[in-house]
Amino acid sequence: MEPSADTHSKPVDIYRDTWVRFLGYANEVGEAFRALVPVGAVWASYGIATTYVTADAIDKGRKAAAAHGERPGKAVCVCVAVVDTFVWQALASVAVPGFTINRVCAASHFLLSRTTRWPLPVRKWTTTAIGLSTIPFIITPIDRSVDLLLDSSLRKLYSEGEKED
């Protein structure tokens, strides 16, 4: 019997390849609902997203440690994996999209209040709908922008360290 294609595929990364990835978007959903929920709920959504980011960084550090074995430089390799993952995820999953959705919702609410006579609850729900519908469109541009930012800054430090080894 021939082995299936699945036996040769990459192992599943629960933080990138499963529903767990959506926990990184919790703060974006929280920001979209800011007009409708207590501010504590928005902050809780940031707590969920930050927990996701931290768990992913720890996971990547453990994987780097396992892959590096007992070779010299293991601590540096693990540190780079943790820092790179944490900084990337903190920017791409929490800070930049949270700010973006916050500003989209604030602008939407402002424009709706200036251009419509809709009742406040309708404006708030419309603002939330606009914020939620924005999320899928901002993910890829933000991810690519954070990659470019890190490639031109922090990751240059890592590559300089590798050249010295």
Side-chain angles (χ1 to χ4, degrees):
M1 204 171 158
E2 288 184 41
S4 68
D6 292 339
T7 60
H8 297 291
S9 62
K10 290 182 0 180
V12 173
D13 181 343
I14 65 165
Y15 296 99
R16 309 279 171 99
D17 303 327
T18 70
W19 66 269
V20 174
R21 174 67 186 108
F22 295 110
L23 295 175
Y25 301 124
N27 65 303
E28 294 159 68
V29 174
E31 285 294 348
F33 277 92
R34 183 180 283 272
L36 298 170
V37 300
V39 72
V42 177
W43 285 110
S45 73
Y46 275 88
I48 291 167
T50 301
T51 299
Y52 162 81
V53 166
T54 304
D56 188 27
I58 291 168
D59 179 63
K60 298 311 174 275
R62 287 183 178 154
K63 288 178 179 176
H68 206 275
E70 296 303 320
R71 294 183 299 235
K74 178 179 181 175
V76 171
C77 182
V78 170
C79 184
V80 165
V82 170
V83 168
D84 189 73
T85 301
F86 187 85
V87 170
W88 190 92
Q89 287 281 22
L91 290 170
S93 295
V94 181
V96 177
F99 177 79
T100 303
I101 296 299
N102 178 284
R103 296 294 81 205
V104 164
C105 289
S108 299
H109 187 71
F110 176 79
L111 289 172
L112 289 170
S113 67
R114 297 287 182 161
T115 61
T116 71
R117 293 181 182 257
W118 295 349
L120 182 59
V122 173
R123 290 195 312 262
K124 286 183 175 184
W125 276 104
T126 303
T127 296
T128 297
I130 291 168
L132 290 172
S133 66
T134 301
I135 295 170
F137 297 103
I138 66 171
I139 294 169
T140 301
I142 289 173
D143 288 356
R144 289 182 180 157
S145 298
V146 171
D147 275 332
L148 289 171
L149 174 67
L150 292 185
D151 287 347
S152 64
S153 61
L154 190 60
R155 290 179 179 156
K156 285 188 175 187
L157 298 174
Y158 307 156
S159 60
E160 285 177 13
E162 291 170 3
K163 291 175 188 172
E164 293 173 10
D165 288 343

